[in-house]
Amino acid sequence: MPTPALKVHDLTTEIQLSRATVHAVGNVDLEIGEGETLGLVGESGSGKSILGLSILGLLPGGGHVTGGSIKLYDRELVGMKPRELREIRGNEIAMIFQDSLSSLNPTKSIGEQVAEPVRLHRGASRKEALDRALEVLELVGLPRPRERLSDYPHQLSGGLRQRVMIAIALACEPKVLLADEPTTALDVTIQAQILKVLDDLEQRLGMATLLVTHDMGVVAGRSRRINVMYAGRIVETAPSEELFTAMRHPYTQSLLGSIPRLESDASKPLLSIPGLPPDLTNPPAGCRFAARCRFATDQCRAQEPPLTGSGEHFFACWNPVDGPAVITVSKPAAGAAPAAAVAASVISEPAPAPAAAPAATNGSAPLLELVNVVREYPVTAGALLKRKVNSVKAVSNVSLYVNPGESFGLVGESGCGKTSLGKLIVGIEKPDAGQVKVRGEELFKKRGGELRTARRVVQMMFQDPYGSLDPRMRVRSILREPMQVQGIGSAKEQDQRVRELLGEVGLPVNALERYPHEFSGGQRQRIALARALVLEPKIMVADEPVSALDVSIRSQVLNLMKRLQSEHGMASIVISHDLAVVKYLSDRIGVMYLGRLVELGTGDDIYRRAAHPYTEALIKTIPVPDPAVEKAKADVGIRGELPSPIDPPSGCRFRTRCPLAQEICSQQEPPMRRFGPSHQAACHFPLQTPEPETAATNGAGASAAPSLS
Amino acid sequence: MADSQQIEPLIGEQMEGAMLGPAPSGGLHQLVPDGGEVYVTSSGWRLAWREYASNRLALIALALLVLVVLFCFVGPIFYHSNQTLSNPLAQTEPPSGAHLLGTDQNGFDELGRLMLGGQSALEIGAYASLVAIVIGTLYGAIAGLVGGVLDAVLMRFVDVLLSIPFLIVVLVLATKYSGTVLDISLVLGIFSWLVPSRLVRGEVLTLRTRDFVIAAQTMGATRRRVIFRHLIPNAMSVTIVNITFLIADSILALALLGFIGFGLQFPNTSWGDMLGNAQTYVTNGQWWLVYPVGGLLVVVVLCFNIIGDALRDAVDVRLQRR
């Protein structure tokens, strides 16, 4: 073990509120050696950020370190005078924050901001500091740094801003770098780039890095050791490989089991941790995880387990587990049979491909059909007259269909138009061209009562569990509202239905009289799900249903959604930036890039036989919670930034970032080509061999396409 | 230990069954909610009240205001005085046992007159602000939700009205109508809904993009339902704060009208009338006609303003400090 650059011993931090004290961090020990990255993983509220802020002495109002020590080499930081601490901050210990937009000063150029710590700590002149700024900006891979020195933060994209943040942190060559969720706000392709930058720098500069994150995939390949935090305590600490393959704490085990993975079988449910993390103003007496732990005994509830273990692996548990959980599908009914039964009941379209395809065209029409849909938002100039100067091409020429009972997933980075497409489907927005047909009828052409009845068919579930429920309504009224609006049932029947639904989404009956703010994020998402189900819709559009939730809660909601989907036999459209989530919930997946649908196929088509280079890169960049896989990754997937949707590239929109792009890509828009019974992609140089040309002569239309042999 | 890690979810019947081993035997949602228990916390309004109560000045203001209201409306029951017939024999008497605050130029008991004036001030303040807030909220909510051309037209109309000197119009109207409490409330209310309408519109503009409003639209809710069930209740925190300022403004406006002689009709009175009449006596050393009424006016308006400020803080920080 190299000399520890930062040593935290028995640290306890509390935050005093007006009426209560939050015991945010308790008895935490950790050590980071020079040139080493230590991972700190935990859910929101586990105290991981407070730990980082304690080290820097930047605790929020009411927060103070009540015990323990923090040592930078041999200097004690706890109890240090603010003036001395100020000299260390930004100089010897630097921090990278999560949200680059609010962490950078919008009124100063980025050159000045990167130069600022150099001038403060090194006493450099303006000129020298700017030279240094140029140097670090180059180091973090900001393209054309000299031209960008005088740019302001709003002129840069999220990925570039995050690079500037890193540059500021590195400007004074700190010995310890605290990275608090450095990539959480970024898209996966950009995340991979930023993580690569951090990796390179740490090796070159020999810093000690504390990587704080909620994402097991992010830490997997990057840190030698990982600490898992739960409710203010470190529950397990081990070398990365050991933690992933031979964890001892049930929390670590459940946490890893609850992450949906690309390679896993979507028919198996995810492991879920029931309940919620404890309230830290009044933590339970024994083990803090006991209430949610399936191995908990009376000892766990009475006595707090100490951190024990041997060698480099320590854990705080009375009844440790042994390695990852094995989820086995019940065996008795001859191996494959139950799995197949599930596939048949849940997955309607892809399994018997040749038989199902003609049925889709001859018999039942698709439930939802989008034909060449275009949606552009005007960009206006002038305060009064609002001249239209340009438009944001949110959705361009998208065609797709969804069959009854089928679940369709839409993936793409932020700004690819997936949310706009969702809003077009539920009829909140009108397409500028093309058709959105639900059961063969266009929703937005209807009026009045007819429209209201038609709306029952399509319901939506939203991303933000805090914004989607009216804060001034009780749960009972929230769930009754759809029936009141639609004039369904008497007050008594409505009430009966509300109780039924509440049970179905796993909430206690006493929730009826409560207001939304009294629920946790996961519980709110359950209420939102119940509301979407009230009208028994034929299609449910779920826009990023779990991205605002913590990992352990996420799997609860995902399992619930999957169960209800098959129970109600409705079609669903799941929109997410997370391919693993989409693959877990959907039979078929559409990949969007800059307003265009670039690839369509079943989960396996997309994951195992990706035809479009973008899809391929997207799969490669997703951090996998497995150190072996993560460390083996060599390149960063996609280079560069997402082009502006106001002025998208000509021809194929992905060509500016595509490794295979050639002349033709900029001149001709690639048509949708067929690669399998349900697999299509729009690329001139696909990674798979397309089926003979005659098969896909329906132009860009994927709509009526399944009429082939 | 190895046994309990063999997970056997009952596929199909219980897809969510990834709860392992000795976990609560799933399926019976009513008995074991797998969404977790609901923590009972205090309601938003209670948190706001807690925040308000931590502001000592605001509590004093509230207490003072309650005292003034009791003084004006309950006071006359215990302190009888003749307020209908003038008594030329007892003009401008200094404070004495019979008249605790002396008498005015018409021989009315000054203390009783203060109560009477207070009643009209508070009543007019309440009515006028009510009229203003109802008109302003509806107007602002409609403009904000509908948007587009209608919004532009409605809000430009508000701009035009705001640019007309309000006092002149009120004066003209006040001469046309008899000066009863209701008349004056209406006149004041009709001219003070402009500011609340702007506030509510601004609030609605942010609310209407919130997901719960979009959710209501996807379930087919009418515009009227969206406005009355979602937008107005959520804009309430803004309007409630504004009501206190509106009351204070109305009381001041009434005092101003009374001072220049366009207020309530004799024998009704307002504090403004009393001040206007008293200004001729102030140089004669008849202090009891000036200071009590002036002081009371200042105290009441100040109280309303302090309460409004504290309410605004309470509603704002509610989500930050729990």
Side-chain angles (χ1 to χ4, degrees):
Chain A
M1 180 116 187
T3 38
L6 185 76
K7 195 170 174 178
V8 174
H9 179 66
D10 202 27
L11 183 75
T12 303
T13 300
E14 289 176 357
I15 300 169
Q16 188 68 45
L17 299 182
S18 48
R19 307 235 155 175
T21 308
V22 180
H23 305 273
V25 175
N27 312 95
V28 166
D29 284 294
L30 46 88
E31 245 179 57
I32 320 174
E34 280 173 355
E36 190 188 57
T37 299
L38 185 73
L40 185 63
V41 184
E43 298 177 79
S44 57
S46 65
K48 58 190 194 308
S49 290
I50 294 294
L51 177 60
L53 294 173
S54 304
I55 295 171
L56 274 180
L58 288 176
L59 287 169
H64 45 94
V65 174
T66 51
S69 84
I70 304 166
K71 273 189 173 159
L72 176 70
Y73 292 99
D74 12 290
R75 264 184 297 167
E76 176 62 51
L77 300 187
V78 175
M80 197 179 243
K81 286 198 189 80
R83 195 176 50 80
E84 289 174 297
L85 207 54
R86 206 155 49 223
E87 271 165 28
I88 290 174
R89 241 184 261 148
N91 190 13
E92 285 167 80
I93 304 180
M95 186 150 182
I96 303 171
F97 296 91
Q98 173 178 350
D99 182 4
S100 59
L101 189 59
S102 61
S103 305
L104 292 174
N105 184 343
T107 63
K108 283 171 97 180
S109 72
I110 59 166
E112 271 177 84
Q113 293 190 54
V114 180
E116 195 178 6
V118 187
R119 298 189 66 185
L120 284 176
H121 293 296
R122 298 281 149 90
S125 72
R126 203 185 134 75
K127 174 83 183 45
E128 284 164 356
L130 274 178
D131 284 345
R132 172 70 187 150
L134 198 61
E135 219 175 285
V136 255
L137 283 173
E138 212 158 310
L139 197 70
V140 297
L142 189 80
R144 304 194 305 282
R146 195 172 291 279
E147 296 161 40
R148 291 229 159 104
L149 273 183
S150 52
D151 278 4
Y152 288 87
H154 71 269
Q155 292 170 293
L156 305 179
S157 68
L160 294 186
R161 274 200 302 268
Q162 200 63 22
R163 283 176 198 260
V164 173
M165 287 272 299
I166 297 174
I168 294 175
L170 296 182
C172 288
E173 295 175 321
K175 301 197 175 66
V176 177
L177 181 67
L178 307 178
D180 186 5
E181 304 265 12
T183 57
T184 306
L186 304 172
D187 276 317
V188 269
T189 58
I190 309 295
Q191 163 168 300
Q193 295 172 5
I194 296 291
L195 288 175
K196 182 95 175 89
V197 169
L198 281 176
D199 270 358
D200 290 351
L201 291 174
E202 171 202 308
Q203 275 162 21
R204 258 197 279 174
L205 306 178
M207 295 173 297
T209 309
L210 180 67
L211 182 59
V212 180
T213 179
H214 69 280
D215 191 336
M216 280 286 194
V218 167
V219 282
R222 268 155 212 94
S223 37
R224 212 182 64 74
R225 284 183 74 76
I226 296 176
N227 287 292
V228 181
M229 245 182 132
Y230 182 78
R233 299 284 150 108
I234 289 200
V235 293
E236 184 159 14
T237 166
S240 302
E241 282 80 5
E242 210 172 319
L243 188 86
F244 283 91
T245 54
M247 72 285 281
R248 304 302 306 276
H249 201 284
Y251 175 66
T252 319
Q253 189 200 40
S254 316
L255 199 60
L256 279 166
S258 66
I259 304 170
R261 299 202 195 178
L262 280 174
E263 73 275 10
S264 62
D265 183 356
S267 62
K268 284 184 195 166
L270 299 169
L271 201 61
S272 77
I273 309 177
L276 304 169
D279 179 6
L280 287 183
T281 55
N282 186 19
C287 172
R288 293 184 176 186
F289 186 58
R292 304 173 73 191
C293 182
R294 60 184 190 280
F295 305 113
T297 58
D298 286 341
Q299 189 187 18
C300 299
R301 282 179 271 273
Q303 224 179 336
E304 193 161 351
L307 211 55
T308 54
S310 55
E312 293 201 75
H313 192 161
F314 297 93
F315 51 90
C317 184
W318 294 119
N319 303 307
V321 294
D322 208 0
V326 189
I327 304 185
T328 48
V329 177
S330 45
K331 280 191 184 115
V342 172
S345 70
V346 181
I347 303 171
S348 61
E349 201 260 344
T361 37
N362 308 340
S364 57
L367 183 59
L368 170 80
E369 196 177 3
L370 270 67
V371 185
N372 297 330
V373 172
V374 176
R375 178 74 179 113
E376 297 183 351
Y377 298 96
V379 177
T380 54
L384 260 183
L385 290 172
K386 303 252 158 91
R387 282 172 297 121
K388 186 184 161 191
V389 288
N390 210 329
S391 61
V392 175
K393 280 86 181 168
V395 177
S396 305
N397 242 351
V398 169
S399 299
L400 55 88
Y401 68 97
V402 176
N403 287 325
E406 182 186 35
S407 74
F408 184 84
L410 261 179
V411 245
E413 294 176 89
S414 56
C416 73
K418 53 191 193 304
T419 297
S420 303
L421 198 61
K423 286 187 176 168
L424 285 167
I425 291 169
V426 292
I428 288 296
E429 299 216 353
K430 284 184 191 177
D432 293 315
Q435 296 166 305
V436 179
K437 287 195 252 180
V438 178
R439 294 204 283 202
E441 292 170 321
E442 285 185 84
L443 199 62
F444 64 90
K445 290 211 172 134
K446 297 180 186 237
R447 286 276 169 277
E450 210 186 333
L451 174 66
R452 193 176 318 138
T453 323
R455 283 203 190 280
R456 289 183 197 178
V457 181
V458 196
Q459 287 292 300
M460 187 158 184
M461 191 178 158
F462 297 88
Q463 166 174 10
D464 176 13
Y466 295 85
S468 62
L469 305 175
D470 187 335
R472 296 258 181 264
M473 280 166 89
R474 292 174 198 271
V475 169
R476 183 199 298 275
S477 322
I478 288 174
L479 293 182
R480 271 180 65 179
E481 188 173 28
M483 292 182 277
Q484 287 173 338
V485 165
Q486 296 283 351
I488 299 172
S490 63
K492 210 170 170 189
E493 285 161 5
Q494 291 176 356
D495 209 55
Q496 182 56 33
R497 176 103 180 94
V498 166
R499 281 165 189 274
E500 246 171 66
L501 276 165
L502 215 54
E504 237 179 292
V505 297
L507 284 174
V509 184
N510 69 353
L512 279 178
E513 300 305 325
R514 311 246 152 264
Y515 286 96
H517 76 264
E518 297 175 73
F519 295 89
S520 68
Q523 291 175 327
R524 289 185 211 203
Q525 230 32 350
R526 285 169 191 262
I527 298 169
L529 182 61
R531 180 179 59 187
L533 291 175
V534 170
L535 296 176
E536 289 284 338
K538 295 279 175 288
I539 309 174
M540 187 177 70
V541 177
D543 186 1
E544 300 272 13
V546 295
S547 61
L549 304 178
D550 267 320
V551 189
S552 72
I553 308 295
R554 205 176 273 191
S555 61
Q556 288 179 9
V557 175
L558 284 176
N559 283 335
L560 179 69
M561 284 181 68
K562 187 147 186 164
R563 197 192 76 211
L564 292 179
Q565 229 173 61
S566 63
E567 276 179 13
H568 290 249
M570 60 182 173
S572 69
I573 294 171
V574 180
I575 299 170
S576 177
H577 68 282
D578 189 338
L579 189 54
V581 164
V582 165
K583 184 166 178 281
Y584 177 70
L585 287 178
S586 322
D587 309 328
R588 267 188 324 129
I589 297 174
V591 181
M592 279 188 87
Y593 184 77
L594 262 189
R596 284 250 157 80
L597 200 61
V598 295
E599 187 159 2
L600 261 172
T602 62
D604 276 346
D605 284 338
I606 298 287
Y607 174 58
R608 298 193 197 284
R609 299 180 288 276
H612 201 283
Y614 175 64
T615 316
E616 167 86 1
L618 203 59
I619 293 167
K620 258 199 228 156
T621 51
I622 295 172
V624 183
D626 183 341
V629 178
E630 272 299 301
K631 280 185 177 147
K633 278 184 186 173
D635 66 324
V636 294
I638 309 179
R639 268 156 230 293
E641 305 275 324
L642 198 72
S644 160
I646 293 177
D647 192 14
S650 62
C652 173
R653 291 191 176 173
F654 184 57
R655 69 176 164 85
T656 50
R657 300 168 77 189
C658 183
L660 306 174
Q662 291 183 23
E663 195 74 21
I664 183 175
C665 298
S666 66
Q667 289 154 359
Q668 242 178 32
E669 195 189 314
M672 269 286 185
R673 286 203 269 175
R674 191 161 287 282
F675 296 87
S678 55
H679 189 191
Q680 295 174 310
C683 180
H684 288 299
F685 304 102
L687 304 167
Q688 309 285 330
T689 350
E691 290 188 347
E693 198 58 32
T694 47
T697 41
N698 330 39
S703 53
S707 61
L708 65 134
S709 56
Chain B
M1 197 50 55
D3 281 354
S4 56
Q5 283 169 46
Q6 292 289 317
I7 300 140
E8 300 192 344
L10 301 163
I11 300 261
E13 273 179 49
Q14 193 200 342
M15 281 289 283
E16 210 180 346
M19 293 199 289
L20 316 179
S25 51
L28 297 169
H29 301 290
Q30 274 78 6
L31 295 180
V32 189
D34 50 22
E37 289 302 324
V38 179
Y39 294 127
V40 180
T41 56
S42 21
S43 78
W45 293 118
R46 193 168 301 163
L47 285 173
W49 164 248
R50 192 194 288 170
E51 193 61 39
Y52 182 91
S54 68
N55 184 339
R56 192 163 297 167
L57 191 63
L59 280 184
I60 294 173
L62 192 64
L64 267 180
L65 195 65
V66 171
L67 282 181
V68 171
V69 171
L70 288 177
F71 166 76
C72 296
F73 290 92
V74 184
I77 299 172
F78 299 102
Y79 185 81
H80 301 281
S81 63
N82 169 25
Q83 297 293 339
T84 42
L85 289 171
S86 59
N87 182 2
L89 296 175
Q91 279 177 359
T92 58
E93 280 178 11
S96 64
H99 303 287
L100 287 180
L101 275 179
T103 58
D104 70 0
Q105 68 281 0
N106 293 323
F108 290 130
D109 179 81
E110 185 70 7
L111 188 61
R113 203 119 188 98
L114 271 182
M115 295 172 182
L116 201 64
Q119 284 179 14
S120 60
L122 291 169
E123 280 169 7
I124 288 175
Y127 293 150
S129 67
L130 205 67
V131 171
I133 215 77
V134 168
I135 300 178
T137 305
L138 281 177
Y139 193 93
I142 290 170
L145 180 68
V146 177
V149 179
L150 184 71
D151 178 35
V153 171
L154 289 179
M155 291 330 281
R156 290 306 80 74
F157 178 64
V158 168
D159 291 346
V160 170
L161 285 189
L162 275 174
S163 63
I164 298 173
F166 132 92
L167 199 65
I168 292 177
V169 184
V170 173
L171 278 181
V172 171
L173 284 174
T175 50
K176 284 206 140 186
Y177 296 95
S178 58
T180 66
V181 167
L182 214 60
D183 283 343
I184 293 196
S185 308
L186 272 177
V187 169
L188 288 178
I190 283 170
F191 280 89
S192 39
W193 59 270
L194 302 166
V195 173
S197 81
R198 281 183 154 189
L199 285 175
V200 170
R201 172 182 171 265
E203 190 68 15
V204 165
L205 281 184
T206 64
L207 285 173
R208 74 165 184 189
T209 58
R210 296 269 294 275
D211 285 345
F212 67 84
V213 174
I214 297 176
Q217 286 166 352
T218 60
M219 59 183 84
T222 55
R223 238 175 215 163
R224 204 175 67 198
R225 189 183 175 89
V226 170
I227 291 179
F228 284 103
R229 285 304 302 260
H230 297 288
L231 296 180
I232 291 182
N234 278 287
M236 209 64 132
S237 54
V238 179
T239 51
I240 286 178
V241 170
N242 199 240
I243 281 179
T244 58
F245 294 122
L246 279 174
I247 295 176
D249 286 352
S250 304
I251 291 174
L252 274 184
L254 175 70
L256 195 70
L257 283 179
F259 189 77
I260 51 181
F262 289 91
L264 293 166
Q265 265 179 351
F266 189 80
N268 254 332
T269 191
S270 75
W271 290 340
D273 292 319
M274 294 164 69
L275 273 177
N277 294 332
Q279 62 169 334
T280 44
Y281 301 95
V282 71
T283 44
N284 301 349
Q286 284 147 351
W287 56 268
W288 61 91
L289 294 183
V290 180
Y291 295 114
V293 61
L296 211 52
L297 185 63
V298 169
V299 165
V300 168
V301 171
L302 198 64
C303 282
F304 273 112
N305 280 330
I306 290 173
I307 291 171
D309 274 339
L311 269 183
R312 184 162 51 203
D313 292 348
V315 178
D316 270 358
V317 299
R318 183 176 89 217
L319 295 173
Q320 293 165 10
R321 260 213 280 173
R322 246 183 264 228

